Amino acid sequence: MCNFVRDERVSRVSETLTNTLQYRSDGPKDAPVLVVGPSLGTTWHMWDRQIPELAKTWRVVRFDLPGHGGAPASPAHSVAELADRLIATLDGLGVQRFGYAGCSIGGAIGADLALRHPHRLASLALVAAAPRFGTADEYRQRGVIVRTNGMDPMARSAPERWFTPAYAAAQPAIVEWAVQMVRTTDPACYIAACEALAAFDVRAELGRITVPTLALVGAEDRVTGPGDARTLVAGIPGAGLAVVPGAAHLAPVEQPGAVTDLLVRHFSTAWQPAPDSTTGLTAMPAPAPVTPMAPHAPATPMAPHAPATPVAPPAPVPPLAPPAPSAPFAPEAPAETAAPALDRRAPDQPAEVEPHAVPDAYERGMKIRREVLGDAHVDAETAGTDAFGRDFDELTTRHAWGEVWAREGLDRRTRAAVALAALASGGHLDELASHTRAALRAGLTPDEIKEVLLQTGVYCGAPAASAAFRVAGAVIREETTPRG
């Protein structure tokens, strides 16, 4: 049996329990529950400055991603797996119905909950989120960088991704907090989260989200910007949009008062009662309207919790330096409607999750081919295929990728190693370069690739191995050197 370590507010999951998440609860125990989810590389402390106001009305449950903030390092390899762990955590708390706000990957978790567990959600806010995060290639590339160099490159580049230049210059303590937060994240869990984002794509499913939804984004977010938020609003029926001036990716940290006000307004006016049909769930009334907020004081540092492993407790957000005045903001109206941003229809019943058809060998092969070689490489290959070679391209996609690479007898790392050996021995150096990139993204380290080529040289000849080392070495240097 696995035990939780508790005080009145904090629960750190035992290392032997891998299907739940480390969490903290603030606010009245009998209040409606509002769950808030973090961004990749952050801890629950990114929401520190929202808690004093939110906890007046809701019981706020925050959680850490695996390996973040001292949480047990049990990697989750998909957004759905993270959502399942959150549901298991809430089940353990006896929470059936809740509102949800998530930032970045936390927003992806919220979208997954809305698609697979719509009856559990009363309201949804997607903060700095997207139906698809960038490209799969760039997130798998992050994994290669971390696997080779550790977390330091990600830590040093975090402030540039998360904050506007003016804010970073004015708030050095918060910049240092962000760097240290990323630096202390477990690398394997970070890589797994990158893989989860690489595979996440709900663009075709947005129309099935029936939960009242607000898309909230910083006007200067260069990771998931206003364009991504507008894509969410265009796809989700009745969704509202709010763009916060003077904020980049971590808008809850950079513009805490504006974000808090938007969240309070959304969850106070768009809390959908539970259906009373056959679910057995009790309808939860909407919280009472909230009076306008007073200006926020810096968050009071919380008592550190006892770690499950010997790591330093995650630090709360440092106090703000005096900020420059920011321009007023207003929520935008939903795309293609004249209704105010927070005026939405309540759906009559939760959406049913439709089973997906089993893809044929070509569809399966193209999916695996893109996952292994990367979108950019496959797009270039298919664009360069003329009518004469199209049948052969389809043949290799269907049989090599859709049948052999799809077999369960070997994992993808092993298949990548076998492919390197075969290509090196045959002198197929162009293909060796693309498969060296694929091997890195499949989880092989440069040292393991070196061992594969040394073994190949013993059995297939030094000339073949020598050429392979030159090609693979150039690719490894390119792929493992941090950018920027």
Side-chain angles (χ1 to χ4, degrees), residues 117-161:
H117 303 280
H119 60 287
R120 302 289 292 267
L121 281 184
S123 193
L124 176 65
L126 303 175
V127 181
R132 184 187 186 191
F133 288 75
T135 67
D137 288 353
E138 67 185 85
Y139 280 96
R140 293 194 173 103
Q141 173 68 20
R142 279 201 205 183
V144 172
I145 296 293
V146 171
R147 195 176 288 114
T148 308
N149 301 280
M151 290 301 301
D152 191 62
M154 295 298 106
R156 286 187 281 106
S157 62
E160 181 182 346
R161 293 194 305 272

Side-chain angles (χ1 to χ4, degrees), residues 105-447:
I105 193 172
I109 294 169
D112 185 83
L113 291 171
L115 289 166
R116 296 194 300 122
H117 303 280
H119 60 287
R120 302 289 292 267
L121 281 184
S123 193
L124 176 65
L126 303 175
V127 181
R132 184 187 186 191
F133 288 75
T135 67
D137 288 353
E138 67 185 85
Y139 280 96
R140 293 194 173 103
Q141 173 68 20
R142 279 201 205 183
V144 172
I145 296 293
V146 171
R147 195 176 288 114
T148 308
N149 301 280
M151 290 301 301
D152 191 62
M154 295 298 106
R156 286 187 281 106
S157 62
E160 181 182 346
R161 293 194 305 272
W162 288 354
F163 306 125
T164 62
Y167 183 85
Q171 303 293 343
I174 292 181
V175 168
E176 181 59 23
W177 163 79
V179 169
Q180 292 306 320
M181 187 165 50
V182 178
R183 186 169 280 142
T184 56
T185 298
D186 178 76
C189 289
Y190 187 92
I191 292 168
C194 288
E195 289 292 333
L197 286 175
F200 180 78
D201 187 352
V202 295
R203 289 174 294 180
E205 301 175 84
L206 293 177
R208 293 200 296 109
I209 295 179
T210 58
V211 180
T213 301
L214 172 69
L216 191 158
V217 64
E220 299 181 52
D221 189 343
R222 292 179 294 173
V223 180
T224 49
D228 290 306
R230 290 188 173 92
T231 300
L232 290 169
V233 170
I236 299 173
L241 173 64
V243 178
V244 181
H249 194 57
L250 286 195
V253 176
E254 189 163 0
Q255 294 291 344
V259 171
T260 303
D261 187 40
L262 287 164
L263 293 179
V264 168
R265 223 186 315 169
H266 172 67
F267 289 113
S268 296
T269 60
W271 194 277
Q272 179 180 301
D276 287 323
S277 55
T278 59
T279 63
L281 298 175
T282 303
M284 180 176 290
V290 179
T291 56
M293 296 181 297
H296 291 279
T300 303
M302 293 178 241
H305 39 270
T309 54
V311 297
V317 183
L320 284 168
S326 58
F329 67 92
E332 298 187 14
E336 301 182 1
T337 74
L342 298 177
D343 178 19
R344 306 169 179 79
R345 61 172 181 82
D348 296 328
Q349 59 186 14
E352 295 292 332
V353 179
E354 299 177 1
H356 294 285
V358 177
D360 67 15
Y362 179 83
E363 292 173 343
R364 184 172 60 244
M366 182 58 74
K367 180 176 183 294
I368 294 174
R369 183 180 172 189
R370 288 185 176 279
E371 289 173 354
V372 172
L373 297 177
D375 288 335
H377 180 83
V378 176
D379 288 343
E381 282 190 330
T382 54
T385 301
D386 58 15
F388 183 75
R390 192 168 297 130
D391 289 345
F392 180 74
D393 184 80
E394 181 178 337
L395 178 74
T396 56
T397 300
R398 182 180 299 277
H399 294 292
W401 295 104
E403 294 179 0
V404 177
W405 273 85
R407 292 175 63 86
E408 297 181 357
L410 296 175
D411 63 26
R412 200 164 285 182
R413 293 178 83 257
T414 305
R415 290 190 186 279
V418 173
L420 289 178
L423 292 168
S425 64
H428 306 297
L429 300 183
D430 288 343
E431 288 293 313
L432 178 66
S434 61
H435 277 268
T436 300
R437 290 187 180 88
L440 289 167
R441 297 178 190 197
L444 269 69
T445 66
D447 282 345

Side-chain angles (χ1 to χ4, degrees), residues 439-474:
L440 289 167
R441 297 178 190 197
L444 269 69
T445 66
D447 282 345
E448 288 172 324
I449 293 173
K450 176 178 68 177
E451 294 300 325
V452 169
L453 297 181
L454 284 171
Q455 189 81 358
T456 302
V458 170
Y459 289 94
C460 299
S466 177
F469 265 101
R470 286 196 300 273
V471 171

